Amino acid sequence: MYPAYLESYDNGKLNRIIEATFKMLGSCCICPRKCKIDRLNDKRGFCRIGLKPQVCSFMPHHGEEPAISGKRGSGTIFFSGCNMACVYCQNYEFSQLDEGSGVGDEELADFMLQLQEIGCHNINLVTPTHILPQILKALSLAIPKGLKIPLVYNTGGYECFKIIKLLDGIVDIYLPDMRYADNDMAIQYSCAPDYPKFNQEALKEMHRQVGTAQLDNEGIIKKGIIIRHLVLPHNISGTDRIMKFIAQELSKDTYISLMSQYFPCYKANRFKEISRRITYKEYADAKRAMEKYGLHNGWIQEGHGLERFAGINIKRALEARP
């Protein structure tokens, strides 16, 4: 059945996972931080979210990768709070400063149904990690009311392998970041200890579940993984090592979104080395790293620092460069 969650709903798997993940909130171990606080009683740990999720906004998003947004937009729900603390976060108003309002299960389910009614291609869950049980509960309420478009699990990539494994048969589309190859950089700029380890384990499981991105005749992803990589100044993100991992541990056919849009916001100006945008050379070096490891599928961003994606094959773009 498609989306995959329809079968999991019918055979009872979805409800079993909802029960299991809510139990984890009692001594929270939903993400690698394992705060061990009782979120069932609305206690708050690193993510600053208790039992009830907060939503900043929901809308059709036309600025994602072409395979995600398509012509009708991606049905995006922006959740407040985060299990990372990136000093340069572009969404800091709601991810770090918690702008947004608390929503109940029925209301969150209604958001999903409204986005489907508008005609969105998918339900795009932005920063879902810390409120996964609540999202799954809302999903279970939306399905009998007619929800039938796929989920996009849009994550910063700081995930537990065992949690991602639970999503097998529920999530059809994964959209994770690969932010850092170096643990020290992850700690310094995102307060995310062991990010490379957790990130790589989680992405291997995502790839095992859904494989390389499968696009329909209109270029819209139906199933699979798209990996986002934000190029940071001074190669802080460790692009070469990340591309090597993707090519050798996942697949050279993996779709990659190579992002040049970094700009110093939130607390970035406190760190001289990231207090500027990336240079043309830094982005060109990132593209060469992809070429070096034979990675050819995905999208690059047109122009320096623009948020518009070029819907072209990366290999052709590399071959056409000066």
Side-chain angles (χ1 to χ4, degrees):
M1 299 176 72
Y2 183 81
Y5 59 69
L6 294 178
E7 182 173 349
S8 292
Y9 177 82
D10 286 348
N11 64 26
K13 178 180 179 180
L14 177 57
N15 281 335
R16 291 193 295 272
I17 294 172
I18 291 169
E19 182 178 353
T21 53
F22 264 98
K23 284 182 179 178
M24 293 178 188
L25 293 181
S27 179
C28 193
C29 55
I30 286 292
C31 88
R33 295 195 179 278
K34 296 181 170 60
C35 292
K36 300 294 184 180
I37 46 90
D38 185 2
R39 291 177 62 193
L40 292 176
N41 284 306
D42 209 35
K43 303 299 181 182
R44 299 172 187 236
F46 188 92
C47 69
R48 304 171 307 282
I49 301 297
L51 180 59
K52 181 178 282 191
Q54 288 182 205
V55 171
C56 178
S57 63
F58 70 103
M59 63 180 181
H61 195 333
H62 296 276
E64 302 280 49
E65 289 79 0
I68 300 290
S69 289
K71 295 180 180 179
R72 302 193 304 272
S74 178
T76 305
I77 304 175
F78 291 96
F79 294 102
S80 306
C82 186
N83 72 332
M84 297 174 68
C86 303
V87 296
Y88 50 82
C89 182
Q90 297 175 13
N91 295 328
Y92 69 91
E93 292 94 343
F94 58 88
S95 68
Q96 303 302 317
L97 303 182
D98 304 335
E99 180 180 303
S101 301
V103 296
D105 300 333
E106 292 281 359
E107 190 173 10
L108 183 53
D110 187 59
F111 291 169
M112 297 177 184
L113 292 165
Q114 287 185 54
L115 291 166
Q116 176 175 270
E117 181 66 23
I118 291 170
C120 294
H121 296 284
N122 45 61
I123 301 298
N124 188 344
L125 306 165
V126 179
T127 321
T129 310
H130 57 300
I131 48 163
L132 177 62
Q134 298 91 326
I135 290 171
L136 296 179
K137 178 63 176 178
L139 176 66
S140 73
L141 298 175
I143 292 170
K145 295 181 180 179
L147 188 70
K148 56 183 180 181
I149 55 177
L151 301 180
V152 178
Y153 195 82
N154 186 342
T155 169
Y158 196 36
E159 301 279 354
C160 285
F161 166 83
K162 70 174 184 177
I163 300 298
I164 296 301
K165 190 172 183 178
L166 290 175
L167 297 179
D168 191 4
I170 295 174
V171 172
D172 282 293
I173 303 165
Y174 285 104
L175 185 61
D177 287 340
M178 287 201 79
R179 194 71 61 84
Y180 303 103
D182 183 87
N183 185 50
D184 290 340
M185 298 297 101
I187 293 171
Q188 182 169 355
Y189 300 109
S190 294
C191 193
D194 294 319
Y195 178 95
K197 171 183 175 291
F198 286 111
N199 181 248
Q200 292 174 15
E201 290 177 349
L203 266 69
K204 288 172 76 171
E205 173 61 16
M206 293 176 188
H207 186 267
R208 184 197 68 79
Q209 290 177 22
V210 298
T212 302
Q214 302 171 27
L215 311 185
D216 66 16
N217 292 335
E218 296 181 353
I220 305 301
I221 185 171
K222 307 304 290 182
K223 183 177 181 178
I225 185 171
I226 295 173
I227 298 174
R228 285 176 165 171
H229 179 63
L230 179 65
V231 181
L232 295 173
H234 299 289
N235 193 32
I236 284 168
S237 45
T239 301
D240 187 276
R241 290 158 64 187
I242 284 174
M243 298 306 157
K244 181 179 181 181
F245 170 85
I246 294 171
Q248 296 184 355
E249 300 293 331
L250 302 181
S251 168
K252 291 183 179 180
D253 294 326
T254 301
Y255 279 72
I256 298 168
S257 178
L258 190 67
M259 301 188 294
S260 64
Q261 68 197 50
Y262 174 80
F263 65 93
C265 58
Y266 192 38
K267 300 177 180 179
N269 285 325
R270 300 180 185 178
F271 302 81
K272 182 178 179 181
E273 63 275 17
I274 60 169
S275 63
R276 61 165 175 82
R277 303 192 80 144
I278 65 170
T279 65
Y280 285 102
K281 182 181 183 303
E282 286 169 334
Y283 193 65
D285 287 345
K287 288 190 286 186
R288 278 191 287 271
M290 295 183 66
E291 180 182 38
K292 174 182 175 181
Y293 293 107
L295 298 161
H296 55 89
N297 283 329
W299 301 270
I300 57 175
Q301 289 186 305
E302 294 180 326
H304 177 57
L306 298 181
E307 295 189 17
R308 180 183 174 194
F309 287 94
I312 55 178
N313 182 280
I314 288 175
K315 185 176 181 180
R316 293 197 298 271
L318 289 165
E319 290 170 347
R321 74 178 189 271

